């Protein structure tokens, strides 16, 4: 019918500046190639850094109906979106939930920042704060005032370990809430950052092989550090790690 599903590669933004490569800029060419008379709209899409399902619609009313469905489903406690992630490290528990407050914080400063718009999100899909010099940090025990002012948002992700090998794991992730970089931050709280996460992996340190969480406010962001055995399995040299994409993939969407 009016729906079309694509498989987006990591690094492709949904929206972009005029002249930049983005999914939105490619839609007119896709419409012509498919011989569609109506314009295509983005119903649901993963954030720029993620790969996976992009749901498009050639009917405006279908687009709005489905976007409202995704929002209502989360409010009812359902999980309409399922992601897969490859993690460096294996969670202690086979399955569980990560629940924490998240907020934007200025890099190099512990003061929270309000009112910064982030680009790249579509519908209820979070985007990123590229160019805002901000980072997303966890707030384990937010106060009532910060929640009321919406400085902090309570976020929840359900996870399950599907398989493990060589100190890495394949996880199923189902976010109940939508916040930029939610899945990356939640994985670091599990002490198992996503493979290719060069933004948040540095917040997990190790002493004698035991992982622990580092305060993002005092930890500089750097390229993910991988051990020699994993680099060998990936066929990468240390100089190539920064090219490694984020291994978080939007696997499945449930439609009404």
């Amino acid at each position: 019918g009016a729906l079309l599903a694509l498989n987006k590669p990591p690094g492709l933004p949904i929206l972009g500046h005029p002249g930049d490569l983005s999914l939105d800029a490619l839609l007119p060419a896709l419409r012509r190639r498919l011989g569609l008379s109506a314009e295509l709209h983005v119903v649901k899409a993963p954030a720029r850094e993620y790969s996976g399902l992009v749901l498009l619609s050639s009917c405006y009313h279908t687009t709005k109906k489905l976007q409202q469905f995704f929002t209502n489903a989360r409010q009812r406690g359902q999980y309409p979106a399922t992601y897969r992630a490859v993690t460096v490290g294996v969670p202690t528990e086979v399955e569980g939930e990560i629940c924490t407050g998240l907020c934007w914080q200025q890099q190099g400063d512990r003061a929270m920042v309000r009112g910064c718009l982030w680009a790249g999100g579509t519908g209820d899909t979070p985007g990123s704060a590229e160019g805002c010099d901000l980072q997303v940090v966890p707030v384990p025990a937010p106060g009532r005032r910060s929640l009321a002012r919406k400085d902090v948002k309570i976020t929840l992700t359900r996870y399950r370990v599907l398989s493990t090998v060589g100190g890495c794991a394949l996880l199923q992730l189902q976010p109940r809430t939508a916040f930029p970089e939610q899945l990356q931050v939640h994985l670091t709280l599990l002490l198992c950052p996503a493979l290719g996460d060069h933004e948040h992996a540095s917040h997990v340190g190790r002493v004698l092989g035991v992982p622990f969480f580092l305060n993002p406010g005092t930890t500089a962001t750097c390229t993910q550090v991988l051990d020699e055995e994993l680099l060998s399995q990936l066929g990468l040299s240390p100089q190539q790690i920064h090219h490694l994409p984020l291994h978080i993939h939007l696997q499945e969407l449930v439609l009404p």
Side-chain angles (χ1 to χ4, degrees), residues 75-145:
Q75 292 173 349
R76 291 193 298 265
Q78 299 173 344
Y79 298 83
T82 299
Y83 293 78
R84 296 282 173 90
V86 177
T87 62
V88 180
V90 179
T92 304
E93 303 292 335
V94 175
E95 59 182 310
E97 292 183 340
I98 310 109
C99 182
T100 187
L102 291 180
C103 75
W104 289 106
Q105 190 177 87
Q106 209 166 14
Q107 290 186 349
D109 187 353
R110 292 182 61 84
M112 284 184 289
V113 178
R114 301 174 65 191
C116 180
L117 299 178
W118 52 86
T122 303
D124 58 352
T125 302
S128 65
E130 186 177 350
C132 292
D133 197 28
L134 300 177
Q135 61 179 342
V136 178
V137 299
V139 184
R144 292 182 179 179
R145 290 185 179 180

Side-chain angles (χ1 to χ4, degrees), residues 2 31 57 61 69 72 89 98 106 122 130 132 140 167 170 180 190 194 201 209 222 232 238 243-244:
R31 172 190 169 190
S57 169
H61 296 291
F69 162 76
N72 293 343
I98 310 109
Q106 209 166 14
T122 303
E130 186 177 350
C132 292
L170 176 66
L190 282 179
C222 62
S232 176
H243 292 301
L244 192 66

Side-chain angles (χ1 to χ4, degrees), residues 36 53 64 81 151 201 228:
L36 301 176
L53 275 172
K64 291 303 177 183
D151 289 335
E228 293 183 3

Side-chain angles (χ1 to χ4, degrees), residues 147-191:
L147 291 172
R149 293 195 306 263
K150 298 184 178 180
D151 289 335
V152 180
K153 179 177 180 177
I154 299 297
T155 58
L156 176 68
T157 300
R158 185 165 62 185
Y159 76 89
R160 182 161 63 93
V161 178
L162 300 178
S163 63
T164 64
V165 63
C168 294
L170 176 66
L171 266 60
Q172 175 180 286
L173 302 172
Q174 293 179 304
R176 166 94 178 267
T177 53
F179 197 91
E181 302 173 17
Q182 172 178 322
L183 297 181
Q184 297 102 296
V185 177
H186 283 187
L187 289 174
T188 62
L189 292 174
L190 282 179
L191 305 180

Side-chain angles (χ1 to χ4, degrees), residues 216-234:
T218 59
T219 308
T221 299
C222 62
T223 301
Q224 188 174 32
V225 177
L226 303 176
D227 60 39
E228 293 183 3
E229 182 178 353
L230 182 53
L231 283 174
S232 176
Q233 291 175 335
L234 293 170

